[in-house]
Amino acid sequence: MAEQSEAAKQSGVAEQSDAAAQPDAAEQSEAREPAAAHEAGRVEHRRILIILSALMLGMFLAALDQTIVATALPTIAGDLHGLNHLSWVVTAYLLTSTISTPLWGKLGDLYGRKKLFQAAIVIFLVGSALSGLSQDILELIAFRAVQGVGAGGLLVGAQAIIGDVVSPRQRGRYMGYFGAVFGASSVIGPLAGGFFTQHLSWRWVFYINLPIGIVALAVIAVVLHLPVTRTRRAIDFVGAGLLGGAVTAVILITTWGGTTYSWTSPAIFALEAVAVVLIAVFIGAERRATEPIIPLRLFRISVFSVSNAIGFLIGFVMFGVIIYIPLYLQTVHGASPTSSGLQLLPLILGMLCTFIISGRLVTKRGRYKIFPVIGTAVMSVGIYLLSLMTPSTSLLTSSLYMFVVGAGIGLVMQVLVVAVQNAVPRSQLGTATSSATFFRTIGGSFGVAVLGAVFNNRLAANLPKHLPASALGEVHGSNITASPAQLDALPSAVRHGFVLAFNDSLHVVFLLGVPISLIAFALTWFLKELPLRDRAYVGEDGEDGEDPDHEPMDTLSRFEGKDASPADGLSASHQAKR
């Protein structure tokens, strides 16, 4: 009995010891779980940064080419004897990049984004190499058009791929990187263009793209893993052709109107008629297309339609107003083209700061509507401040005004892309992303044309007020604004009078930008705020991280305020595959 009692005691002690050990083990397991999750998060963050580095190189190529060529244009015109066609070196690039943007987005949705992004890099590099080898101005224009096709795929592909591999909630962490790309290209472009033109050859403005693009291709091939779509689908070539024709007419109107042709000339009226007819036929064709380039049903999603309307107005103001800031610095302050690019740093710094801040806050709080509201308000204030600049305004004061404008733009641009990507099903991710870029670019074309017409009109009216009658026959506003360095050759009194006329005209342009910004501000209040997804579409192994069939079910119902079946948000081909 004593032995049994002793054994029972020992057994009880052992059970108590085991029971005490079990909570300790559970506590250790619970303690390890956050550490493991933290480590997994760090690994995923590193993976995304590596992918992002390759995407940023691709975007940097396209963004850099918009700024690096500008300082080399006079030298190019002299070497290739093509002064009369020089504007087409820029227009051809803008035209093909804008036209190809929706097509790249749709093709990415249909056939997968990795190969399309790689193809865009290759096309861009081929265009760059051929541009550098051009022997006459017509060859250069043609090869710049090839470059533009690749650039359209680079800009859209990078943002759409990020939409695949990073959830909307976490995407804010990486907004600052994209802002840094555009900021760096704006600064490096004019400096590199001037350096190559002066010390090497203008051809290196294009050749420099080759090593950067090759590195981007290699990194993309190794680190980016996305699901490959092999289903055979019809491409809407009719819609693409109609949209391309309409965009071509619009860009030619904005390029030629008020410069090559009068706004009331038969050529401009004919282009306007062509644009209206092609847009109407395009809408009809998209209603019947199996895989439309821009599905019209996306416009029933309020976040999509409101965001694109805001993006159009932001592009109108951003391109239409900001294009005159370097001209102001060169004409009023006597800055060189290169130094005026550097003096835009406050604007770029403002954009970069708010890119980073808004992105972090979107990730932390999961809310995005407040940033476009604040951003458009700040931008409106900043543009009004620009209208206060005079020939006596110091560079420090004008820099502060530029910082305010940049801060406002930075709060809006990338947040709108996140909102659009979060609002549509994965089957339409590339299309929605390309649409955001497309409408912003078209808005910029209209802004440059409309505000340019206002500026030229006011300058023609103001010159007689500030110049003696004897000088009016010799001084032409269009020539001076095209080459501000010509001011140095004018007599002091004439130069002073031109600067006053220029400043008065620019005052009106900036003032006109204020109500456009306020309209964008009003539209932001209609932007619906939807919960941001916490999961990415594509995981680390390249497999789908989230079933796309589940996303569209509540997509259209949330945006339209009615019930929707899962098939409503899917493309026809996706439904067929199901």
Side-chain angles (χ1 to χ4, degrees):
M1 290 291 293
E3 292 177 357
Q4 291 177 355
S5 176
E6 185 65 26
K9 289 180 180 179
Q10 291 178 357
S11 176
V13 170
E15 289 175 358
Q16 291 176 2
S17 176
D18 290 343
Q22 288 176 0
D24 290 342
E27 289 174 2
Q28 291 176 4
S29 176
E30 291 176 359
R32 284 196 297 269
E33 287 178 1
H38 179 69
E39 181 62 25
R42 290 179 57 189
V43 171
E44 178 67 6
H45 180 61
R46 284 197 299 269
R47 182 184 75 89
I48 291 173
L49 285 181
I50 294 173
I51 295 173
L52 195 67
S53 64
L55 299 179
M56 288 168 60
L57 284 174
M59 291 187 70
F60 181 73
L61 285 173
L64 181 67
D65 223 67
Q66 296 176 4
T67 58
I68 195 173
V69 175
T71 51
L73 283 178
T75 305
I76 292 173
D79 277 5
L80 300 183
H81 308 290
L83 183 61
N84 293 335
H85 302 288
L86 192 60
S87 63
W88 277 99
V89 175
V90 177
T91 303
Y93 183 91
L94 172 65
L95 187 62
T96 53
S97 63
T98 305
I99 290 173
S100 64
T101 293
L103 187 58
W104 281 112
K106 188 63 180 181
L107 290 176
D109 287 335
L110 294 180
Y111 298 106
R113 281 178 255 284
K114 178 177 178 177
K115 290 185 177 180
L116 266 295
F117 191 71
Q118 290 172 313
I121 295 176
V122 171
I123 292 172
F124 186 86
L125 295 184
V126 169
S128 297
L130 293 175
S131 295
L133 295 171
S134 298
Q135 298 302 308
D136 61 59
I137 195 69
L138 295 181
E139 283 186 5
L140 180 58
I141 291 170
F143 297 143
R144 283 283 287 167
V146 174
Q147 259 194 312
V149 173
L154 292 175
L155 294 172
V156 171
Q159 295 189 77
I161 289 171
I162 285 296
D164 268 333
V165 300
V166 183
S167 71
R169 179 70 181 264
Q170 295 300 319
R171 210 167 299 154
R173 299 174 63 185
Y174 306 99
M175 284 183 189
Y177 297 105
F178 286 107
V181 168
F182 289 103
S185 67
S186 300
V187 176
I188 294 173
L191 294 176
F195 176 82
F196 290 140
T197 301
Q198 184 175 355
H199 298 286
L200 295 173
S201 165
W202 62 263
R203 299 179 187 276
W204 277 96
V205 167
F206 302 106
Y207 292 153
I208 190 61
N209 294 327
L210 300 179
I212 301 174
I214 291 171
V215 171
L217 271 176
V219 177
I220 285 289
V222 173
V223 304
L224 182 61
H225 305 289
L226 297 176
V228 178
T229 304
R230 295 185 175 88
T231 305
R232 185 179 296 276
R233 293 162 179 167
I235 300 175
D236 181 20
F237 287 113
V238 174
L242 291 170
L243 182 62
V247 171
T248 299
V250 168
I251 290 181
L252 290 180
I253 291 168
T254 59
T255 302
W256 287 345
T259 54
T260 305
Y261 300 101
S262 166
W263 285 105
T264 57
S265 67
I268 298 299
F269 281 137
L271 285 172
E272 290 171 349
V274 168
V276 171
V277 170
L278 288 179
I279 291 172
V281 176
F282 169 76
I283 292 173
E286 294 302 274
R287 292 182 185 277
R288 296 187 299 271
T290 303
E291 288 287 352
I293 292 292
I294 302 179
L296 300 182
R297 65 178 175 274
L298 286 178
F299 290 94
R300 300 202 306 266
I301 301 175
S302 67
V303 173
F304 178 86
S305 55
V306 172
S307 294
N308 283 328
I310 297 170
F312 178 90
L313 296 174
I314 294 296
F316 187 104
V317 173
M318 183 172 68
F319 293 106
V321 170
I322 293 177
I323 194 175
Y324 286 102
I325 296 178
L327 197 56
Y328 165 83
L329 294 172
Q330 293 175 44
T331 303
V332 175
H333 289 285
S336 67
T338 302
S339 62
S340 66
L342 287 175
Q343 289 168 5
L344 281 175
L345 272 175
L347 185 142
I348 296 164
L349 183 62
M351 290 177 61
L352 186 57
C353 288
T354 51
F355 265 146
I356 295 172
I357 294 171
S358 62
R360 295 285 179 176
L361 291 176
V362 167
T363 296
K364 181 178 180 180
R365 301 182 179 181
R367 306 182 71 86
Y368 58 81
K369 179 176 179 176
I370 186 64
F371 299 106
V373 173
I374 296 175
T376 49
V378 171
M379 185 177 70
S380 301
V381 172
I383 294 173
Y384 174 74
L385 291 175
L386 291 179
S387 74
L388 302 179
M389 294 191 302
T390 67
S392 60
T393 301
S394 68
L395 188 59
L396 176 61
T397 302
S398 60
S399 297
L400 291 174
Y401 295 167
M402 285 187 274
F403 182 88
V404 174
V405 175
I409 294 172
L411 286 170
V412 182
M413 278 182 57
Q414 286 299 317
V415 174
L416 289 180
V417 175
V418 171
V420 167
Q421 290 182 336
N422 182 67
V424 300
R426 185 186 177 189
S427 60
Q428 304 292 351
L429 181 64
T431 301
T433 304
S434 65
S435 297
T437 303
F438 175 78
F439 283 106
R440 187 170 64 243
T441 304
I442 292 296
S445 297
F446 274 99
V448 171
V450 172
L451 297 181
V454 171
F455 173 78
N456 291 331
N457 179 272
R458 297 314 307 158
L459 185 60
N462 287 326
L463 282 175
K465 299 177 183 178
H466 297 282
L467 293 180
S470 58
L472 288 175
E474 302 177 5
V475 177
H476 301 282
S478 58
N479 292 338
I480 300 296
T481 53
S483 180
Q486 293 184 22
L487 279 173
D488 296 335
L490 297 177
S492 177
V494 176
R495 182 187 184 282
H496 179 69
F498 182 88
V499 168
L500 292 176
F502 175 91
N503 187 82
D504 290 348
S505 306
L506 203 57
H507 170 77
V508 177
V509 169
F510 289 144
L511 276 183
L512 188 58
V514 175
I516 305 298
S517 299
L518 291 176
I519 294 173
F521 171 72
L523 282 177
T524 59
W525 292 94
F526 295 94
L527 181 65
K528 288 188 178 180
E529 187 159 43
L530 305 174
L532 293 175
R533 283 184 291 104
D534 289 318
R535 295 185 60 192
Y537 282 134
V538 178
E540 182 177 358
D541 55 0
E543 296 298 324
D544 288 355
E546 186 170 319
D547 184 2
D549 288 358
H550 292 166
E551 178 66 15
M553 179 174 66
D554 62 341
T555 298
L556 289 179
S557 61
R558 284 182 295 174
F559 313 126
E560 298 180 46
K562 61 181 182 181
D563 294 334
S565 66
D568 284 338
L570 299 174
S571 65
S573 60
H574 195 100
Q575 295 179 43
K577 186 174 72 173
R578 292 178 63 195

